[in-house]
Amino acid sequence: MNSLHLAVDAAGKIPTISAPSVVYTALLPIFIVLGAALLGVLAEAVVPRAERFNVQVGITLLGLVSAAVTTGLLHNKTLTTPSPRGSDAFFRGSLAVDKAGLFIQGTILVLAIMAALLLAERSVDVGSAIVASSAVVVGSPDDQRLVTSERVQTEIFPLLLFAVSGMLIFPISNNLLLMFVALEVLSLPLYLMAGMSRRRRLLSQEAAVKYFLLGAFASAFFLYGLALLYGYAGSVDLENIRTATNTSTKSDVLLYAGLGLLLVGLLFKAGIAPFHSWTPDVYQGAPTPVTAFMAACTKVAAFGAILRVLYVAFSATANDWRPIVWAVAIASMVVGAVFGLTQTDIKRILAYSSIAHAGFILVGLVDINSKDSISSVLFYLLTYGFTTLAAFGLLMIVRDADGEATHLSQWSGLARKSPVVAAVMTILLLSMAGIPLTSGFTGKFFVFRAAIHTAGPLVVIALICSAIAAFFYLRIIVLMYFAEPPENSPTIAIPGWSTTIALTFGVVVTIVLGVFPQPILDLAAKAAHFTT
């Protein structure tokens, strides 16, 4: 018979092993989203195909809204005041439901609701932007027939919920192994979602394969870094790693090599140069609602994790890794601004725009120990997410015979055909360029102000790159208002209720946070705290 041998203490007694207790209310938003995802999987099995789309939309929106409301309520409870490190309230410190984590979770959930509304759009295209059946061979007669079918691969809604659950865990993980699990949970659904475009199937599937292969390499780098840090600190808890940076007698090579490899995985997920090569191809090939979801929610989650890792585990060694942040920020801003000038597809322009914005956000991480820096980054992530989601959502309604009209030449003279669409796109582009009275200007102002005293030259480079990037935003505006329309100009589809709500909300937030940002700035300032 197998026996269980327990270590005994000096008195010969078996020590008491206490199981970690869990405050489930703190994790309720994650449980709600996961529960909705499982319910969506069940609906795929039992709900008739004709009713499945509406049921899945209802489950998804109900789950995300409930989780967002719960996250908001948690801000008013004592759980927002973090308990001392080492408490067993959050799986023995593996999860930290602190103020910064709740702010990031709330941002992700609100942006995910907007993305789900875009996915629910069925008016601008036959069926949906999502493929009718992923199992059909591309180019076959069945594939051509299903392009005009009302069928939709409704599995994309549970996939979105599973991805959101990973995004909610990712930025609150105080344990690198749990952070890796969250990284995979959010990544695997995205690999599938990127290949589910109804039109341009080959481009979409190529994007999915590229994203999967490069994502697998990035995950491997993250794991290698985790292993080296475990060898250095004897633990994968962020607080233990921080303690080891002050007390360990082991070689610092393990520490810095581990941090470098860990950052490769995190920077890849945030789409930061030089780990950005997947971004333009995947953004162009994926269904536009999926692209909007990735561009906004994934970037917020990734930067939330980067903030936590650098602040909790490596703030004591900030002087050593700060040059790396400088280099990566400059590379990202330059690549995004310069390569964006050469693009002729609007989705690729927005992809390089996201790379440049990632560099601007990194400027705020230079002084990681400053509360102003953290709050400015949190505010920038929120404003960027709303503007980007609305911009991609607007692309869905400008269409030609082949689907979305994303080539620059097709937007020539668009203001004459639809002044409203042109005006909305102008507001969003001006915000991305950082023009005053938009949320983009407010976000850049506070990020640059937080970094000006510790990284003045970097702020100057950021301003120059921002001016360069403004050129390709203004180029689109000039085309819409001052160029002649093409012979076969695109049509403007009338969006359904879901897209109308998402676009309206995104544009209103972009304007309001540019004119009256103080309430959200105050909220970000209160949230600028990580559990250590």
Side-chain angles (χ1 to χ4, degrees), residues 33-45 52-53 55-57 59-60 119 153-165 185 189-190 192-193 196 293:
V33 174
L34 279 174
L38 294 175
L39 189 60
V41 172
L42 182 63
E44 285 295 317
R52 201 175 295 165
F53 185 89
V55 171
Q56 291 285 23
V57 171
I59 292 172
T60 302
L119 276 175
Q153 196 86 40
T154 51
E155 291 90 340
I156 197 165
F157 291 101
L159 288 173
L160 179 139
L161 290 172
F162 279 120
V164 171
S165 68
V185 171
L190 291 176
L192 296 174
M193 294 168 69
M196 297 177 69
F293 175 62

Side-chain angles (χ1 to χ4, degrees), residues 297-308:
C297 296
T298 306
K299 196 173 293 289
V300 173
F303 269 104
I306 293 171
L307 274 170
R308 185 169 297 279

Side-chain angles (χ1 to χ4, degrees), residues 74-404:
L74 285 174
H75 276 282
N76 299 321
K77 294 186 177 181
T78 56
L79 289 171
T80 57
T81 303
S83 55
R85 185 68 171 93
S87 167
D88 61 359
F90 309 115
F91 292 104
R92 294 194 183 276
S94 294
L95 289 173
V97 187
D98 48 28
K99 295 179 181 179
L102 286 170
F103 185 95
I104 295 167
Q105 285 184 331
T107 301
I108 292 169
L109 286 167
V110 174
L111 295 176
I113 292 171
M114 290 181 62
L117 289 171
L118 295 180
L119 276 175
E121 176 57 60
R122 303 193 74 176
S123 300
V124 301
D125 199 356
V126 178
S128 169
I130 307 306
V131 67
S133 175
S134 297
V136 177
V137 177
V138 178
S140 66
D142 286 339
D143 183 41
Q144 298 299 322
R145 176 177 56 83
L146 288 174
V147 169
T148 58
S149 170
E150 293 287 338
R151 288 175 56 184
V152 179
Q153 196 86 40
T154 51
E155 291 90 340
I156 197 165
F157 291 101
L159 288 173
L160 179 139
L161 290 172
F162 279 120
V164 171
S165 68
M167 293 175 187
L168 296 181
I169 300 171
F170 198 41
I172 66 170
S173 299
N174 257 8
N175 178 286
L176 291 179
L177 197 57
L178 184 60
M179 188 176 287
F180 174 76
V181 173
L183 174 64
E184 295 306 297
V185 171
L186 76 88
S187 297
L188 292 176
L190 291 176
Y191 301 150
L192 296 174
M193 294 168 69
M196 297 177 69
S197 179
R198 178 175 291 263
R199 301 177 185 271
R200 302 173 183 173
R201 292 283 309 284
L202 281 176
L203 188 64
S204 178
Q205 293 183 359
E206 178 188 352
V209 172
K210 285 181 179 178
Y211 193 21
F212 170 70
L213 291 177
L214 292 174
F217 278 112
S219 296
F221 278 109
F222 187 98
L223 269 181
Y224 273 119
L226 184 155
L228 292 177
L229 289 172
Y230 179 78
Y232 177 81
S235 172
V236 291
D237 287 337
L238 297 183
E239 177 59 23
N240 291 338
I241 294 173
R242 176 176 181 162
T243 301
T245 60
N246 296 319
T247 61
S248 178
T249 58
K250 296 180 181 179
S251 172
D252 286 344
V253 173
L254 285 175
L255 174 66
Y256 296 120
L259 173 60
L261 293 172
L262 195 74
L263 285 177
V264 169
L266 295 174
L267 295 176
F268 171 89
K269 189 52 64 178
I272 299 171
F275 313 106
H276 69 286
S277 58
W278 63 275
T279 308
D281 293 336
V282 175
Y283 280 24
Q284 183 182 19
T288 300
V290 176
T291 302
F293 175 62
M294 289 192 297
C297 296
T298 306
K299 196 173 293 289
V300 173
F303 269 104
I306 293 171
L307 274 170
R308 185 169 297 279
V309 167
L310 293 181
Y311 183 85
V312 176
F314 296 99
S315 58
T317 58
N319 290 332
D320 298 317
W321 54 255
R322 188 172 287 125
I324 299 175
V325 174
W326 272 62
V328 173
I330 293 171
S332 196
M333 291 185 292
V334 171
V335 168
V338 174
F339 283 86
L341 296 174
T342 66
Q343 305 303 310
T344 57
D345 185 276
I346 294 182
K347 289 180 78 172
R348 294 183 71 89
I349 289 175
L350 293 179
Y352 280 103
S353 168
S354 76
I355 296 169
H357 279 284
F360 299 144
I361 297 171
L362 282 175
V363 173
L365 297 184
V366 172
D367 190 11
I368 193 68
N369 293 314
S370 167
K371 184 177 179 180
D372 288 340
S373 294
I374 297 175
S375 63
S376 66
V377 169
L378 294 177
F379 181 81
Y380 198 120
L381 288 171
L382 186 144
T383 59
Y384 165 81
F386 280 106
T387 303
T388 300
L389 262 169
F392 279 109
L394 202 64
L395 290 181
M396 295 170 56
I397 66 176
V398 182
R399 310 186 68 82
D400 59 13
D402 297 324
E404 294 158 356

Side-chain angles (χ1 to χ4, degrees), residues 506-531:
V507 174
V508 169
V509 170
T510 298
I511 296 173
V512 170
L513 293 185
V515 178
F516 188 59
Q518 198 58 49
I520 303 300
L521 286 170
D522 292 340
L523 185 63
K526 294 177 182 178
H529 174 82
F530 288 95
T531 298

Side-chain angles (χ1 to χ4, degrees), residues 395-450:
L395 290 181
M396 295 170 56
I397 66 176
V398 182
R399 310 186 68 82
D400 59 13
D402 297 324
E404 294 158 356
T406 59
H407 197 277
L408 269 178
S409 61
Q410 296 173 296
W411 285 63
S412 298
L414 188 68
R416 302 182 188 181
K417 175 166 288 190
S418 179
V420 174
V421 171
V424 170
M425 192 63 168
T426 299
I427 293 171
L428 298 173
L429 292 173
L430 291 177
S431 178
M432 293 181 188
I435 302 302
L437 299 182
T438 63
S439 62
F441 170 79
T442 310
K444 285 182 179 177
F445 175 81
F446 283 100
V447 164
F448 294 165
R449 189 186 71 168

